[in-house]
């Protein structure tokens, strides 16, 4: 399976991503699955976790997928902010799985870094509740926070991260810094000034020094919202430096040799364009790229029959231009060994449609065999056109990044809904090639 003979023709000269070697390497402690939305990152992360555990590692999968398919695939009734052990793992390893609870993770940070009274003031603040539930970049920031927490516990020797379903794959790297900059920025510090001065002096400063700004913001956002922000900022004063510090520490963790990024993409133009952007960004940030997982690749068991020939044969069938070759051969065999006179030679049979047997009353008649064959040929032509399009998109990516190792994962006929399905995905990830008859 790992030889170049089994690989798609577009990948003959591309280095193969050795997934099992990656999972078996004790120096690799974090695997980050990233890429555009809808390319199978969650399934890939879960399959890697299952395969790593069944090869002897103590692994945990952190997913940010809101669809909760991971829980169903692993037979867990509920995934939440606490790692839960997955039953049914074969081998000496262990697997835990969890789903990021963005708000709960933010709450945990507050509770860990503020005294109880101040923590309660923050948690009850309306602006904090809005920020922790859906502020732009919060999900990506909290994913990094949770990754840092898991790594600090040192309970697992492999952490597999399924990155958030962002509009752009680059949001995963950018958002933590953006949120950290916001919480530690000049605007927030300016809002903190009145609360720091306190009492009438603070109100005087607010009224005199910030009257124009707060008046404008009050009209845009509402006076109560602005007061909520100022109360939140005052309560969070002692924590602001910690956000930036932890964001920077986690960023360095992602750059460390023990981390490996896997860019996941489908063989489609937009997904591979996003993958190319991510590969270039990882290189510029000096983050370790292990390779590309090319997901849901199609194959055919009759690849020698081109789309053009299949369509031509279908048209011939429809127009009745295909000769009954078996009958012709039989006539030739019957005349072998004799010298018939011209009058004795049987005329060559012409192709005609056999009359279909009459159907029973009330039952629809079956379509002619030639019609079914023509339909199958057209389906094959469509499949070959898909294969050709996928190959062109792969060629464009590998031409831009010939040094990036690639593994192809053949498309499954249905959705993954259990451990057996995840094992199948893991086998295909490790195989690295697309069998000729892949679905």
């Amino acid at each position: 399976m790992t030889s170049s003979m089994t690989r798609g023709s577009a990948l003959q000269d591309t280095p193969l991503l050795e997934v099992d070697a990656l999972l078996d390497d004790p120096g690799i402690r974090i695997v980050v699955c990233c890429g555009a939305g809808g390319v199978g990152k969650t399934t890939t992360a879960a399959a890697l976790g299952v395969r790593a555990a069944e090869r002897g590692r103590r692994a945990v999968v952190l997913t940010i997928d809101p669809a909760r398919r991971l829980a169903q695939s692993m037979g867990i009734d509920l995934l939440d902010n606490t790692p839960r052990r997955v039953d049914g793992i074969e081998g000496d390893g262990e697997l835990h799985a969890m789903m990021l609870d963005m708000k709960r993770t933010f709450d945990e940070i507050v509770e860990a870094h503020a005294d109880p009274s101040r923590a309660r003031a923050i948690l009850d603040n309306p602006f904090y509740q809005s920020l922790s539930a859906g502020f732009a970049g919060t999900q990506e920031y909290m994913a990094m926070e949770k990754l840092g927490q898991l790594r600090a516990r040192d309970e697992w020797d492999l952490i597999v991260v399924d990155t958030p379903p962002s509009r752009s794959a680059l949001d995963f790297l950018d958002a933590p810094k953006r949120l950290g900059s916001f919480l530690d920025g000049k605007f927030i510090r300016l809002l903190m000034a009145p609360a720091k001065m306190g009492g009438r002096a603070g109100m005087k400063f607010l009224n005199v020094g910030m009257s124009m700004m707060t008046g404008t913001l009050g009209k845009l956002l509402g006076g109560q919202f602005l007061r909520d922000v100022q109360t939140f900022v005052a309560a969070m004063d002692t924590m602001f430096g910690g956000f930036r510090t932890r964001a920077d520490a986690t960023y360095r963790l992602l750059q460390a040799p023990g981390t490996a990024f896997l860019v996941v993409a489908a063989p489609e133009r937009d997904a591979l364009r996003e993958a190319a952007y991510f590969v270039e960004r990882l290189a510029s940030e000096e983050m370790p790229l292990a390779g590309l997982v090319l997901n849901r690749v199609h194959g055919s068991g009759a690849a020698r029959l081109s789309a053009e020939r299949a369509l031509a044969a279908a048209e011939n069938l429809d127009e009745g231009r295909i000769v009954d070759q078996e009958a012709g051969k039989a006539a030739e065999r019957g005349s072998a060994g004799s010298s018939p006179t011209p009058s004795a030679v049987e005329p060559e049979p012409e192709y005609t449609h056999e009359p279909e047997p009459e159907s029973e009353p009330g039952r629809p008649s079956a379509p002619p065999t030639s019609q079914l064959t023509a339909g199958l040929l057209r389906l094959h032509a469509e499949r070959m056109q898909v294969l050709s399009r996928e190959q062109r998109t792969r060629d464009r990516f590998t031409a831009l990044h010939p040094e990036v190792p690639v593994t192809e994962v053949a498309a499954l006929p249905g959705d993954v809904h259990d451990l057996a399905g995840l094992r199948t995905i893991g086998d295909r990830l490790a195989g690295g090639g697309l069998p000729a008859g892949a679905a």
Side-chain angles (χ1 to χ4, degrees), residues 8 267 296-303 379-380 382-384 386-388 390 394 408-412 428 434-439:
R296 302 169 185 162
V297 178
H298 294 89
S300 173
L379 286 175
H380 175 75
E382 291 178 6
R383 169 58 66 92
M384 294 306 297
V386 169
L387 265 62
S388 177
E390 290 181 354
R394 293 196 297 265
E408 288 187 323
V409 180
L412 291 177
R428 298 187 179 199
L434 180 64

Side-chain angles (χ1 to χ4, degrees), residues 100-429:
L100 177 72
D101 184 328
M102 180 174 62
K103 187 178 187 312
R104 183 60 203 147
T105 301
F106 211 150
D107 292 350
E108 290 171 355
I109 298 170
V110 172
E111 292 166 352
H113 296 89
D115 60 75
S117 61
R118 178 167 292 199
R120 179 48 51 197
I122 295 170
L123 297 177
D124 292 341
N125 182 273
F127 177 74
Y128 168 78
Q129 292 173 1
S130 298
L131 175 70
S132 61
F135 193 82
T138 304
Q139 188 178 54
E140 288 83 358
Y141 181 92
M142 292 307 148
M144 291 295 89
E145 282 277 357
K146 183 56 66 175
L147 171 59
Q149 292 174 13
L150 292 173
R151 184 65 181 87
R153 289 169 62 175
D154 207 29
E155 185 176 344
W156 299 277
D157 55 27
L158 181 66
I159 302 168
V160 183
V161 182
D162 164 34
T163 56
S166 306
R167 178 188 58 80
S168 167
L170 302 180
D171 287 348
F172 178 67
L173 294 178
D174 290 332
K177 283 190 173 181
R178 286 204 306 268
L179 184 64
S181 297
F182 167 75
L183 293 175
D184 199 28
K186 292 181 179 179
F187 174 70
I188 290 291
R189 294 294 179 185
L190 188 60
L191 287 177
M192 285 174 57
K196 278 189 170 184
M197 296 178 67
R200 293 183 178 179
M203 290 305 296
K204 183 177 180 181
F205 177 88
L206 177 64
N207 292 333
V208 176
M210 299 178 65
S211 57
M212 291 182 63
M213 184 190 75
T214 55
T216 302
L217 288 174
K219 291 177 181 178
L220 293 174
L221 305 175
Q224 182 59 49
F225 178 81
L226 189 57
R227 285 190 291 273
D228 290 339
V229 173
Q230 291 167 340
T231 304
F232 163 77
V233 168
M236 291 281 284
D237 182 25
T238 59
M239 296 180 58
F240 283 120
F243 282 101
R244 174 62 65 84
T245 300
R246 287 191 300 277
D248 291 344
T250 305
Y251 212 73
R252 289 193 298 272
L253 183 64
L254 294 177
Q255 294 175 313
T259 298
F261 279 85
L262 290 178
V263 178
V264 184
E268 300 166 0
R269 184 179 61 182
D270 291 344
L272 277 172
R273 182 187 295 121
E274 193 80 9
Y277 290 156
F278 210 109
V279 166
E280 293 161 7
R281 175 64 185 278
L282 290 172
S284 68
E285 297 288 340
E286 299 182 347
M287 292 187 175
L289 172 65
L292 172 74
V293 174
L294 199 55
N295 216 359
R296 302 169 185 162
V297 178
H298 294 89
S300 173
R304 292 184 179 181
L305 179 59
S306 68
E308 292 77 11
R309 290 176 59 196
L311 287 174
E315 291 175 2
N316 287 338
L317 276 172
D318 287 340
E319 298 174 8
R321 293 204 303 259
I322 293 183
V323 175
D324 189 343
Q325 296 181 0
E326 289 299 322
K329 290 178 181 178
E332 291 175 4
R333 285 195 299 268
S335 62
S338 61
S339 301
T341 62
S343 60
V345 176
E346 294 283 338
E348 184 175 345
E350 297 181 358
Y351 177 83
T352 59
H353 287 288
E354 294 276 342
E356 297 294 328
E358 295 183 5
S359 60
E360 298 179 14
R363 297 182 62 183
S365 58
T369 303
S370 59
Q371 184 178 340
L372 288 173
T373 304
L376 289 173
L377 285 168
R378 287 192 172 87
L379 286 175
H380 175 75
E382 291 178 6
R383 169 58 66 92
M384 294 306 297
Q385 289 167 353
V386 169
L387 265 62
S388 177
R389 184 168 62 250
E390 290 181 354
Q391 181 172 325
R392 289 195 300 271
T393 59
R394 293 196 297 265
D395 283 342
R396 282 194 288 269
F397 178 88
T398 55
L400 286 171
H401 301 285
E403 77 289 352
V404 176
V406 179
T407 184
E408 288 187 323
V409 180
L412 291 177
D415 292 334
V416 175
H417 59 273
D418 55 18
L419 282 177
L422 291 175
R423 288 191 186 99
T424 300
I425 293 293
D427 290 342
R428 298 187 179 199
L429 278 165

Side-chain angles (χ1 to χ4, degrees), residues 40-59:
K41 294 193 301 290
T42 299
T43 302
T44 299
L48 289 170
V50 171
R51 191 168 185 88
E54 295 190 338
R55 295 178 70 85
R57 301 200 72 173
R58 289 180 293 113

